[in-house]
Amino acid sequence: MHLTVCHMYPDLLNLYGDRGNVIAFVQRCRWRGIRVTVREVNLGGPVSFTGCDFLFIGGGSDREQQLIASELAARLQELQAAMEDGLVVLAICGGYQLLGHYYLTLEGRKIKGLGLLDFYTTAGARRLIGNVAVEAELNGSKSVLVGFENHGGRTFLGAVEPLGKVLRGYGNNGTDGLEGARYKNVYCSYLHGPLLPKNPALTDHLISLALQRKGMDGKLADLDDTIERQAHEAMVQRLLA
Ligand code: GLN
């Protein structure tokens, strides 16, 4: 078993330890004997979305978002085809915003998004900062995801499902109680933390999806998650008790 991870623009999009998402994905594969190759994709560098099993895109400042938006626009068709074909994607915060129609900055500049998912983002004067708990459905069962958010953008969903419902924190915009977005195997979230180390159930869900897309059954061997579970539970208690 072998998976290829594409880590998009790691030098530009790596807020609040977002790289930890790739580390957690890779490590939880390796502990199970699944081999993983990580391809770091940098501005102007080559990338094959078709040869990729898990694509990760992290958060960044408005300036970095602008740089990447124009580069990704040139690769839109290939990325869209891969997503339609079930490519497993995790996009966080600035990376999430890039997949929508646009991001309107506080200064009134419109950063064009890829328009792959039906949502848009407008910046608000007050940043939405703090710890978050979200109820999401993974594989038919309800799960609580925890993370940390820090964004000026308010995202409003159109014809696309949210990732989950906000239990604590702001989520997409601080008003409609929704967090993230989800389409096929594309998962978008405002949650840094980083998200995957803090939520091993989500990590395993994404690994399983990537394996299933390659024709495998996606059943994963159990790991000793005592410490991960305790860390997760401590945050859940702190936020929801
Ligand atoms: N620039 C975006 C915002 O502030 C994204 C920030 C981030 O990725 N944390 O909304």
Short mmCIF file of all heavy atoms in Angstrom, two decimals, residues 145-213:
data_model
loop_
_atom_site.label_atom_id
_atom_site.label_comp_id
_atom_site.label_asym_id
_atom_site.label_seq_id
_atom_site.Cartn_x
_atom_site.Cartn_y
_atom_site.Cartn_z
N LEU A 145 -15.01 17.70 16.63
CA LEU A 145 -13.68 18.13 16.20
C LEU A 145 -13.28 19.35 17.02
O LEU A 145 -14.12 20.22 17.28
CB LEU A 145 -13.69 18.51 14.71
CG LEU A 145 -14.18 17.46 13.73
CD1 LEU A 145 -14.22 18.02 12.31
CD2 LEU A 145 -13.28 16.22 13.78
N VAL A 146 -12.00 19.40 17.40
CA VAL A 146 -11.53 20.59 18.13
C VAL A 146 -10.39 21.23 17.35
O VAL A 146 -9.70 20.57 16.59
CB VAL A 146 -11.07 20.24 19.57
CG1 VAL A 146 -12.22 19.79 20.42
CG2 VAL A 146 -9.97 19.18 19.55
N GLY A 147 -10.22 22.54 17.55
CA GLY A 147 -9.15 23.25 16.86
C GLY A 147 -9.09 24.68 17.32
O GLY A 147 -9.75 25.07 18.29
N PHE A 148 -8.29 25.44 16.60
CA PHE A 148 -8.08 26.85 16.93
C PHE A 148 -8.30 27.67 15.67
O PHE A 148 -7.85 27.29 14.59
CB PHE A 148 -6.63 27.02 17.42
CG PHE A 148 -6.19 28.45 17.49
CD1 PHE A 148 -6.59 29.27 18.53
CD2 PHE A 148 -5.38 28.98 16.49
CE1 PHE A 148 -6.20 30.60 18.57
CE2 PHE A 148 -4.97 30.31 16.53
CZ PHE A 148 -5.38 31.12 17.57
N GLU A 149 -9.02 28.77 15.82
CA GLU A 149 -9.28 29.61 14.63
C GLU A 149 -8.73 31.02 14.83
O GLU A 149 -8.69 31.52 15.96
CB GLU A 149 -10.77 29.66 14.31
CG GLU A 149 -11.62 30.30 15.40
CD GLU A 149 -13.11 30.25 15.12
OE1 GLU A 149 -13.53 30.26 13.96
OE2 GLU A 149 -13.88 30.19 16.11
N ASN A 150 -8.32 31.62 13.73
CA ASN A 150 -7.88 33.02 13.74
C ASN A 150 -8.02 33.55 12.32
O ASN A 150 -7.15 33.36 11.49
CB ASN A 150 -6.42 33.12 14.21
CG ASN A 150 -5.96 34.57 14.28
OD1 ASN A 150 -6.67 35.48 13.83
ND2 ASN A 150 -4.78 34.79 14.82
N HIS A 151 -9.15 34.16 12.05
CA HIS A 151 -9.38 34.64 10.68
C HIS A 151 -10.19 35.93 10.69
O HIS A 151 -11.02 36.15 11.58
CB HIS A 151 -10.08 33.57 9.84
CG HIS A 151 -11.31 32.95 10.47
ND1 HIS A 151 -12.59 33.21 10.02
CD2 HIS A 151 -11.46 32.09 11.51
CE1 HIS A 151 -13.46 32.51 10.76
NE2 HIS A 151 -12.80 31.83 11.67
N GLY A 152 -9.93 36.75 9.66
CA GLY A 152 -10.72 37.97 9.48
C GLY A 152 -11.88 37.67 8.55
O GLY A 152 -12.93 38.33 8.58
N GLY A 153 -11.71 36.68 7.69
CA GLY A 153 -12.72 36.34 6.68
C GLY A 153 -13.96 35.71 7.29
O GLY A 153 -13.87 34.93 8.24
N ARG A 154 -15.09 36.10 6.72
CA ARG A 154 -16.37 35.46 7.06
C ARG A 154 -16.83 34.73 5.80
O ARG A 154 -17.01 35.37 4.74
CB ARG A 154 -17.44 36.50 7.39
CG ARG A 154 -17.46 36.95 8.84
CD ARG A 154 -16.40 37.96 9.12
NE ARG A 154 -16.60 38.60 10.42
CZ ARG A 154 -15.63 39.10 11.16
NH1 ARG A 154 -14.38 39.01 10.76
NH2 ARG A 154 -15.89 39.70 12.30
N THR A 155 -17.01 33.43 5.93
CA THR A 155 -17.38 32.63 4.76
C THR A 155 -18.86 32.28 4.80
O THR A 155 -19.38 31.88 5.85
CB THR A 155 -16.51 31.35 4.72
OG1 THR A 155 -15.16 31.75 4.52
CG2 THR A 155 -16.92 30.42 3.60
N PHE A 156 -19.50 32.46 3.66
CA PHE A 156 -20.93 32.15 3.55
C PHE A 156 -21.13 31.09 2.47
O PHE A 156 -20.70 31.27 1.33
CB PHE A 156 -21.72 33.43 3.23
CG PHE A 156 -21.60 34.44 4.34
CD1 PHE A 156 -20.59 35.40 4.32
CD2 PHE A 156 -22.45 34.39 5.44
CE1 PHE A 156 -20.44 36.31 5.38
CE2 PHE A 156 -22.32 35.28 6.50
CZ PHE A 156 -21.32 36.24 6.46
N LEU A 157 -21.75 30.00 2.87
CA LEU A 157 -21.92 28.86 1.96
C LEU A 157 -23.13 29.04 1.06
O LEU A 157 -24.16 29.57 1.50
CB LEU A 157 -22.10 27.56 2.75
CG LEU A 157 -21.00 27.19 3.76
CD1 LEU A 157 -21.34 25.85 4.41
CD2 LEU A 157 -19.63 27.14 3.09
N GLY A 158 -23.00 28.59 -0.19
CA GLY A 158 -24.14 28.51 -1.10
C GLY A 158 -24.60 27.06 -1.14
O GLY A 158 -24.90 26.46 -0.11
N ALA A 159 -24.57 26.48 -2.34
CA ALA A 159 -25.02 25.10 -2.50
C ALA A 159 -23.88 24.13 -2.20
O ALA A 159 -23.38 23.43 -3.08
CB ALA A 159 -25.53 24.90 -3.91
N VAL A 160 -23.45 24.13 -0.96
CA VAL A 160 -22.41 23.19 -0.54
C VAL A 160 -22.64 22.90 0.94
O VAL A 160 -23.08 23.77 1.69
CB VAL A 160 -20.99 23.77 -0.83
CG1 VAL A 160 -20.72 25.03 -0.03
CG2 VAL A 160 -19.90 22.75 -0.56
N GLU A 161 -22.38 21.67 1.33
CA GLU A 161 -22.61 21.28 2.73
C GLU A 161 -21.55 21.86 3.65
O GLU A 161 -20.38 21.94 3.25
CB GLU A 161 -22.44 19.77 2.84
CG GLU A 161 -23.69 18.95 2.70
CD GLU A 161 -23.30 17.49 2.87
OE1 GLU A 161 -22.90 17.09 3.98
OE2 GLU A 161 -23.39 16.77 1.87
N PRO A 162 -21.90 22.18 4.89
CA PRO A 162 -20.85 22.56 5.84
C PRO A 162 -20.12 21.30 6.32
O PRO A 162 -20.63 20.19 6.17
CB PRO A 162 -21.64 23.17 7.00
CG PRO A 162 -22.97 22.51 6.94
CD PRO A 162 -23.24 22.20 5.49
N LEU A 163 -18.95 21.49 6.92
CA LEU A 163 -18.26 20.35 7.53
C LEU A 163 -19.00 19.95 8.80
O LEU A 163 -19.11 18.79 9.15
CB LEU A 163 -16.81 20.73 7.85
CG LEU A 163 -15.98 19.71 8.62
CD1 LEU A 163 -15.87 18.40 7.86
CD2 LEU A 163 -14.59 20.25 8.91
N GLY A 164 -19.49 20.96 9.52
CA GLY A 164 -20.21 20.64 10.75
C GLY A 164 -20.88 21.85 11.36
O GLY A 164 -20.93 22.94 10.76
N LYS A 165 -21.39 21.62 12.59
CA LYS A 165 -22.07 22.69 13.33
C LYS A 165 -21.18 23.17 14.46
O LYS A 165 -20.58 22.36 15.18
CB LYS A 165 -23.37 22.15 13.95
CG LYS A 165 -24.51 22.12 12.95
CD LYS A 165 -25.81 21.79 13.65
CE LYS A 165 -25.98 20.29 13.74
NZ LYS A 165 -27.15 19.76 14.33
N VAL A 166 -21.13 24.47 14.64
CA VAL A 166 -20.28 25.04 15.70
C VAL A 166 -20.91 24.78 17.07
O VAL A 166 -22.08 25.10 17.29
CB VAL A 166 -20.12 26.56 15.50
CG1 VAL A 166 -19.33 27.17 16.65
CG2 VAL A 166 -19.46 26.87 14.17
N LEU A 167 -20.12 24.18 17.97
CA LEU A 167 -20.58 24.01 19.36
C LEU A 167 -19.98 25.12 20.23
O LEU A 167 -20.60 25.57 21.18
CB LEU A 167 -20.16 22.64 19.89
CG LEU A 167 -20.67 21.42 19.10
CD1 LEU A 167 -20.04 20.14 19.63
CD2 LEU A 167 -22.19 21.32 19.17
N ARG A 168 -18.76 25.51 19.95
CA ARG A 168 -18.09 26.63 20.63
C ARG A 168 -17.21 27.33 19.61
O ARG A 168 -16.57 26.66 18.79
CB ARG A 168 -17.17 26.13 21.75
CG ARG A 168 -17.86 25.82 23.04
CD ARG A 168 -18.34 27.07 23.80
NE ARG A 168 -19.07 26.70 25.00
CZ ARG A 168 -20.33 26.27 25.02
NH1 ARG A 168 -21.03 26.18 23.89
NH2 ARG A 168 -20.91 25.94 26.16
N GLY A 169 -17.15 28.64 19.66
CA GLY A 169 -16.29 29.37 18.74
C GLY A 169 -17.11 30.06 17.66
O GLY A 169 -18.33 30.21 17.80
N TYR A 170 -16.46 30.44 16.57
CA TYR A 170 -17.13 31.23 15.53
C TYR A 170 -17.43 30.42 14.27
O TYR A 170 -18.48 30.56 13.66
CB TYR A 170 -16.25 32.43 15.13
CG TYR A 170 -16.00 33.38 16.28
CD1 TYR A 170 -14.79 33.35 16.96
CD2 TYR A 170 -16.97 34.28 16.69
CE1 TYR A 170 -14.54 34.23 18.01
CE2 TYR A 170 -16.73 35.15 17.75
CZ TYR A 170 -15.51 35.11 18.40
OH TYR A 170 -15.28 35.96 19.45
N GLY A 171 -16.45 29.62 13.81
CA GLY A 171 -16.68 28.86 12.58
C GLY A 171 -16.63 29.77 11.36
O GLY A 171 -15.86 30.73 11.31
N ASN A 172 -17.47 29.47 10.38
CA ASN A 172 -17.38 30.16 9.09
C ASN A 172 -17.52 31.67 9.18
O ASN A 172 -16.85 32.41 8.46
CB ASN A 172 -18.45 29.63 8.14
CG ASN A 172 -18.04 28.31 7.51
OD1 ASN A 172 -16.86 27.94 7.55
ND2 ASN A 172 -18.99 27.61 6.93
N ASN A 173 -18.44 32.13 10.03
CA ASN A 173 -18.68 33.58 10.03
C ASN A 173 -19.15 34.12 11.38
O ASN A 173 -19.40 35.32 11.50
CB ASN A 173 -19.69 33.93 8.93
CG ASN A 173 -20.92 33.04 9.01
OD1 ASN A 173 -21.57 32.95 10.04
ND2 ASN A 173 -21.23 32.35 7.91
N GLY A 174 -19.31 33.28 12.35
CA GLY A 174 -19.72 33.75 13.68
C GLY A 174 -21.21 34.02 13.78
O GLY A 174 -21.69 34.42 14.85
N THR A 175 -21.96 33.80 12.69
CA THR A 175 -23.39 34.09 12.77
C THR A 175 -24.31 32.91 12.45
O THR A 175 -25.32 32.73 13.11
CB THR A 175 -23.79 35.28 11.83
OG1 THR A 175 -23.29 34.98 10.52
CG2 THR A 175 -23.19 36.59 12.31
N ASP A 176 -23.95 32.09 11.46
CA ASP A 176 -24.92 31.05 11.07
C ASP A 176 -24.68 29.69 11.71
O ASP A 176 -25.39 28.72 11.43
CB ASP A 176 -25.04 30.94 9.53
CG ASP A 176 -23.75 30.48 8.87
OD1 ASP A 176 -22.84 29.98 9.59
OD2 ASP A 176 -23.65 30.59 7.63
N GLY A 177 -23.67 29.59 12.58
CA GLY A 177 -23.45 28.35 13.33
C GLY A 177 -22.82 27.23 12.50
O GLY A 177 -22.77 26.09 12.95
N LEU A 178 -22.34 27.56 11.32
CA LEU A 178 -21.75 26.52 10.47
C LEU A 178 -20.23 26.63 10.44
O LEU A 178 -19.67 27.73 10.60
CB LEU A 178 -22.30 26.62 9.04
CG LEU A 178 -23.82 26.54 8.90
CD1 LEU A 178 -24.24 26.73 7.44
CD2 LEU A 178 -24.34 25.21 9.44
N GLU A 179 -19.59 25.48 10.24
CA GLU A 179 -18.13 25.46 10.14
C GLU A 179 -17.71 24.66 8.93
O GLU A 179 -18.20 23.56 8.70
CB GLU A 179 -17.53 24.83 11.40
CG GLU A 179 -16.11 25.31 11.75
CD GLU A 179 -15.03 24.96 10.75
OE1 GLU A 179 -14.85 23.78 10.42
OE2 GLU A 179 -14.35 25.89 10.27
N GLY A 180 -16.79 25.26 8.16
CA GLY A 180 -16.18 24.53 7.06
C GLY A 180 -17.13 24.21 5.92
O GLY A 180 -18.28 24.69 5.88
N ALA A 181 -16.64 23.42 5.02
CA ALA A 181 -17.43 23.00 3.86
C ALA A 181 -16.96 21.62 3.44
O ALA A 181 -15.84 21.20 3.76
CB ALA A 181 -17.24 24.00 2.71
N ARG A 182 -17.84 20.96 2.70
CA ARG A 182 -17.53 19.57 2.33
C ARG A 182 -18.19 19.26 0.99
O ARG A 182 -19.36 19.57 0.78
CB ARG A 182 -18.14 18.72 3.41
CG ARG A 182 -17.91 17.29 3.32
CD ARG A 182 -18.43 16.75 4.63
NE ARG A 182 -18.31 15.31 4.65
CZ ARG A 182 -18.44 14.58 5.74
NH1 ARG A 182 -18.72 15.16 6.89
NH2 ARG A 182 -18.32 13.31 5.69
N TYR A 183 -17.40 18.70 0.11
CA TYR A 183 -17.93 18.31 -1.20
C TYR A 183 -17.16 17.08 -1.65
O TYR A 183 -15.94 17.10 -1.72
CB TYR A 183 -17.76 19.45 -2.21
CG TYR A 183 -18.09 19.06 -3.62
CD1 TYR A 183 -19.41 18.82 -3.98
CD2 TYR A 183 -17.10 18.90 -4.58
CE1 TYR A 183 -19.73 18.42 -5.28
CE2 TYR A 183 -17.40 18.51 -5.87
CZ TYR A 183 -18.71 18.27 -6.21
OH TYR A 183 -19.02 17.87 -7.49
N LYS A 184 -17.89 15.99 -1.96
CA LYS A 184 -17.23 14.72 -2.30
C LYS A 184 -16.18 14.41 -1.22
O LYS A 184 -16.49 14.37 -0.05
CB LYS A 184 -16.65 14.77 -3.71
CG LYS A 184 -17.76 14.85 -4.76
CD LYS A 184 -17.32 14.40 -6.11
CE LYS A 184 -18.55 14.22 -6.99
NZ LYS A 184 -18.25 13.62 -8.27
N ASN A 185 -14.89 14.28 -1.60
CA ASN A 185 -13.86 14.01 -0.60
C ASN A 185 -13.04 15.25 -0.26
O ASN A 185 -11.92 15.15 0.22
CB ASN A 185 -12.92 12.90 -1.09
CG ASN A 185 -13.60 11.54 -1.07
OD1 ASN A 185 -14.59 11.35 -0.34
ND2 ASN A 185 -13.09 10.61 -1.85
N VAL A 186 -13.64 16.42 -0.52
CA VAL A 186 -12.96 17.69 -0.22
C VAL A 186 -13.48 18.20 1.13
O VAL A 186 -14.68 18.40 1.31
CB VAL A 186 -13.24 18.73 -1.31
CG1 VAL A 186 -12.54 20.05 -0.98
CG2 VAL A 186 -12.81 18.21 -2.68
N TYR A 187 -12.55 18.38 2.07
CA TYR A 187 -12.89 18.85 3.41
C TYR A 187 -12.22 20.20 3.63
O TYR A 187 -11.01 20.32 3.48
CB TYR A 187 -12.40 17.85 4.47
CG TYR A 187 -13.21 16.58 4.47
CD1 TYR A 187 -13.07 15.66 3.44
CD2 TYR A 187 -14.15 16.33 5.46
CE1 TYR A 187 -13.85 14.51 3.41
CE2 TYR A 187 -14.93 15.18 5.44
CZ TYR A 187 -14.77 14.28 4.41
OH TYR A 187 -15.54 13.15 4.38
N CYS A 188 -13.04 21.20 3.97
CA CYS A 188 -12.52 22.54 4.21
C CYS A 188 -12.86 22.93 5.63
O CYS A 188 -13.96 22.64 6.12
CB CYS A 188 -13.18 23.56 3.29
SG CYS A 188 -12.97 23.21 1.54
N SER A 189 -11.93 23.65 6.29
CA SER A 189 -12.19 24.04 7.67
C SER A 189 -11.39 25.28 8.04
O SER A 189 -10.30 25.51 7.49
CB SER A 189 -11.80 22.89 8.60
OG SER A 189 -11.93 23.28 9.95
N TYR A 190 -11.91 26.04 8.99
CA TYR A 190 -11.14 27.15 9.55
C TYR A 190 -10.22 26.68 10.65
O TYR A 190 -9.44 27.46 11.19
CB TYR A 190 -12.09 28.24 10.08
CG TYR A 190 -12.39 29.28 9.04
CD1 TYR A 190 -13.65 29.40 8.48
CD2 TYR A 190 -11.39 30.12 8.58
CE1 TYR A 190 -13.91 30.35 7.50
CE2 TYR A 190 -11.63 31.07 7.60
CZ TYR A 190 -12.89 31.18 7.07
OH TYR A 190 -13.12 32.11 6.10
N LEU A 191 -10.29 25.42 11.04
CA LEU A 191 -9.58 24.96 12.22
C LEU A 191 -8.10 24.67 11.98
O LEU A 191 -7.74 23.72 11.29
CB LEU A 191 -10.26 23.72 12.80
CG LEU A 191 -11.40 23.99 13.80
CD1 LEU A 191 -12.49 24.85 13.20
CD2 LEU A 191 -11.98 22.68 14.30
N HIS A 192 -7.29 25.53 12.58
CA HIS A 192 -5.87 25.21 12.73
C HIS A 192 -5.80 24.38 14.00
O HIS A 192 -6.81 23.95 14.53
CB HIS A 192 -5.05 26.48 12.91
CG HIS A 192 -5.13 27.45 11.78
ND1 HIS A 192 -4.38 27.33 10.64
CD2 HIS A 192 -5.88 28.58 11.61
CE1 HIS A 192 -4.65 28.35 9.83
NE2 HIS A 192 -5.56 29.12 10.39
N GLY A 193 -4.59 24.24 14.50
CA GLY A 193 -4.53 23.52 15.79
C GLY A 193 -3.21 22.82 16.01
O GLY A 193 -2.68 22.92 17.09
N PRO A 194 -2.66 22.11 15.00
CA PRO A 194 -3.29 21.78 13.73
C PRO A 194 -4.43 20.76 13.87
O PRO A 194 -4.50 20.03 14.86
CB PRO A 194 -2.16 21.18 12.89
CG PRO A 194 -0.99 21.01 13.79
CD PRO A 194 -1.29 21.60 15.12
N LEU A 195 -5.28 20.77 12.89
CA LEU A 195 -6.53 20.00 12.94
C LEU A 195 -6.32 18.49 13.06
O LEU A 195 -6.93 17.83 13.91
CB LEU A 195 -7.35 20.33 11.68
CG LEU A 195 -8.70 19.64 11.54
CD1 LEU A 195 -9.66 20.02 12.65
CD2 LEU A 195 -9.34 19.99 10.19
N LEU A 196 -5.49 17.90 12.21
CA LEU A 196 -5.41 16.43 12.18
C LEU A 196 -4.75 15.82 13.43
O LEU A 196 -5.28 14.85 13.97
CB LEU A 196 -4.74 15.94 10.90
CG LEU A 196 -5.51 16.23 9.60
CD1 LEU A 196 -4.85 15.53 8.41
CD2 LEU A 196 -6.99 15.85 9.69
N PRO A 197 -3.64 16.38 13.93
CA PRO A 197 -3.10 15.80 15.17
C PRO A 197 -4.10 15.89 16.33
O PRO A 197 -4.14 15.02 17.18
CB PRO A 197 -1.86 16.66 15.47
CG PRO A 197 -1.49 17.26 14.17
CD PRO A 197 -2.76 17.43 13.39
N LYS A 198 -4.90 16.96 16.34
CA LYS A 198 -5.86 17.12 17.43
C LYS A 198 -7.08 16.22 17.28
O LYS A 198 -7.84 16.04 18.22
CB LYS A 198 -6.35 18.57 17.48
CG LYS A 198 -5.36 19.52 18.14
CD LYS A 198 -6.03 20.81 18.54
CE LYS A 198 -5.19 21.55 19.56
NZ LYS A 198 -5.77 22.82 19.97
N ASN A 199 -7.28 15.72 16.05
CA ASN A 199 -8.49 14.94 15.78
C ASN A 199 -8.14 13.67 14.99
O ASN A 199 -8.36 13.60 13.77
CB ASN A 199 -9.48 15.80 14.98
CG ASN A 199 -9.90 17.03 15.75
OD1 ASN A 199 -10.74 16.97 16.62
ND2 ASN A 199 -9.29 18.17 15.42
N PRO A 200 -7.56 12.67 15.69
CA PRO A 200 -7.12 11.47 14.97
C PRO A 200 -8.25 10.77 14.21
O PRO A 200 -8.00 10.13 13.18
CB PRO A 200 -6.56 10.57 16.07
CG PRO A 200 -6.79 11.25 17.37
CD PRO A 200 -7.21 12.64 17.12
N ALA A 201 -9.49 10.92 14.69
CA ALA A 201 -10.60 10.26 13.97
C ALA A 201 -10.75 10.85 12.57
O ALA A 201 -11.03 10.13 11.61
CB ALA A 201 -11.91 10.43 14.76
N LEU A 202 -10.56 12.16 12.46
CA LEU A 202 -10.65 12.79 11.13
C LEU A 202 -9.47 12.36 10.26
O LEU A 202 -9.63 12.07 9.07
CB LEU A 202 -10.70 14.32 11.27
CG LEU A 202 -10.72 15.10 9.96
CD1 LEU A 202 -11.95 14.77 9.11
CD2 LEU A 202 -10.67 16.62 10.22
N THR A 203 -8.28 12.29 10.86
CA THR A 203 -7.10 11.85 10.11
C THR A 203 -7.35 10.46 9.51
O THR A 203 -7.13 10.22 8.32
CB THR A 203 -5.85 11.77 11.04
OG1 THR A 203 -5.83 12.93 11.85
CG2 THR A 203 -4.58 11.66 10.24
N ASP A 204 -7.83 9.56 10.36
CA ASP A 204 -8.08 8.19 9.89
C ASP A 204 -9.17 8.15 8.83
O ASP A 204 -9.11 7.36 7.89
CB ASP A 204 -8.45 7.28 11.07
CG ASP A 204 -7.23 6.95 11.92
OD1 ASP A 204 -6.12 7.34 11.54
OD2 ASP A 204 -7.40 6.30 12.97
N HIS A 205 -10.16 9.00 8.99
CA HIS A 205 -11.24 9.07 8.00
C HIS A 205 -10.65 9.45 6.63
O HIS A 205 -10.97 8.83 5.61
CB HIS A 205 -12.27 10.10 8.46
CG HIS A 205 -13.40 10.29 7.53
ND1 HIS A 205 -14.33 9.29 7.26
CD2 HIS A 205 -13.79 11.36 6.78
CE1 HIS A 205 -15.21 9.74 6.40
NE2 HIS A 205 -14.91 10.99 6.08
N LEU A 206 -9.75 10.43 6.62
CA LEU A 206 -9.16 10.88 5.34
C LEU A 206 -8.24 9.80 4.76
O LEU A 206 -8.24 9.56 3.55
CB LEU A 206 -8.39 12.19 5.54
CG LEU A 206 -9.22 13.40 6.02
CD1 LEU A 206 -8.34 14.62 6.22
CD2 LEU A 206 -10.36 13.73 5.04
N ILE A 207 -7.48 9.12 5.63
CA ILE A 207 -6.61 8.03 5.14
C ILE A 207 -7.47 6.94 4.51
O ILE A 207 -7.19 6.43 3.42
CB ILE A 207 -5.77 7.43 6.30
CG1 ILE A 207 -4.77 8.47 6.82
CG2 ILE A 207 -5.05 6.16 5.86
CD1 ILE A 207 -4.06 8.06 8.12
N SER A 208 -8.56 6.61 5.21
CA SER A 208 -9.43 5.56 4.73
C SER A 208 -10.05 5.93 3.37
O SER A 208 -10.11 5.10 2.45
CB SER A 208 -10.50 5.33 5.79
OG SER A 208 -11.40 4.38 5.38
N LEU A 209 -10.47 7.18 3.23
CA LEU A 209 -11.03 7.62 1.95
C LEU A 209 -10.00 7.51 0.82
O LEU A 209 -10.31 7.10 -0.30
CB LEU A 209 -11.52 9.08 2.05
CG LEU A 209 -12.77 9.34 2.88
CD1 LEU A 209 -13.02 10.85 2.98
CD2 LEU A 209 -13.99 8.65 2.27
N ALA A 210 -8.76 7.91 1.15
CA ALA A 210 -7.70 7.87 0.13
C ALA A 210 -7.45 6.42 -0.31
O ALA A 210 -7.24 6.14 -1.50
CB ALA A 210 -6.43 8.50 0.66
N LEU A 211 -7.48 5.49 0.64
CA LEU A 211 -7.26 4.07 0.30
C LEU A 211 -8.43 3.53 -0.53
O LEU A 211 -8.24 2.80 -1.51
CB LEU A 211 -7.08 3.23 1.57
CG LEU A 211 -5.79 3.49 2.37
CD1 LEU A 211 -5.82 2.72 3.68
CD2 LEU A 211 -4.55 3.10 1.55
N GLN A 212 -9.64 3.91 -0.12
CA GLN A 212 -10.82 3.43 -0.85
C GLN A 212 -10.80 3.92 -2.30
O GLN A 212 -11.18 3.21 -3.21
CB GLN A 212 -12.10 3.91 -0.18
CG GLN A 212 -12.43 3.15 1.10
CD GLN A 212 -13.59 3.77 1.83
OE1 GLN A 212 -14.66 3.99 1.28
NE2 GLN A 212 -13.39 4.06 3.10
N ARG A 213 -10.34 5.14 -2.48
CA ARG A 213 -10.29 5.68 -3.85
C ARG A 213 -9.31 4.87 -4.70
O ARG A 213 -9.43 4.82 -5.92
CB ARG A 213 -9.86 7.15 -3.78
CG ARG A 213 -9.79 7.81 -5.14
CD ARG A 213 -9.69 9.31 -5.01
NE ARG A 213 -9.52 9.95 -6.30
CZ ARG A 213 -8.38 10.45 -6.72
NH1 ARG A 213 -7.30 10.42 -5.96
NH2 ARG A 213 -8.30 11.02 -7.92
#
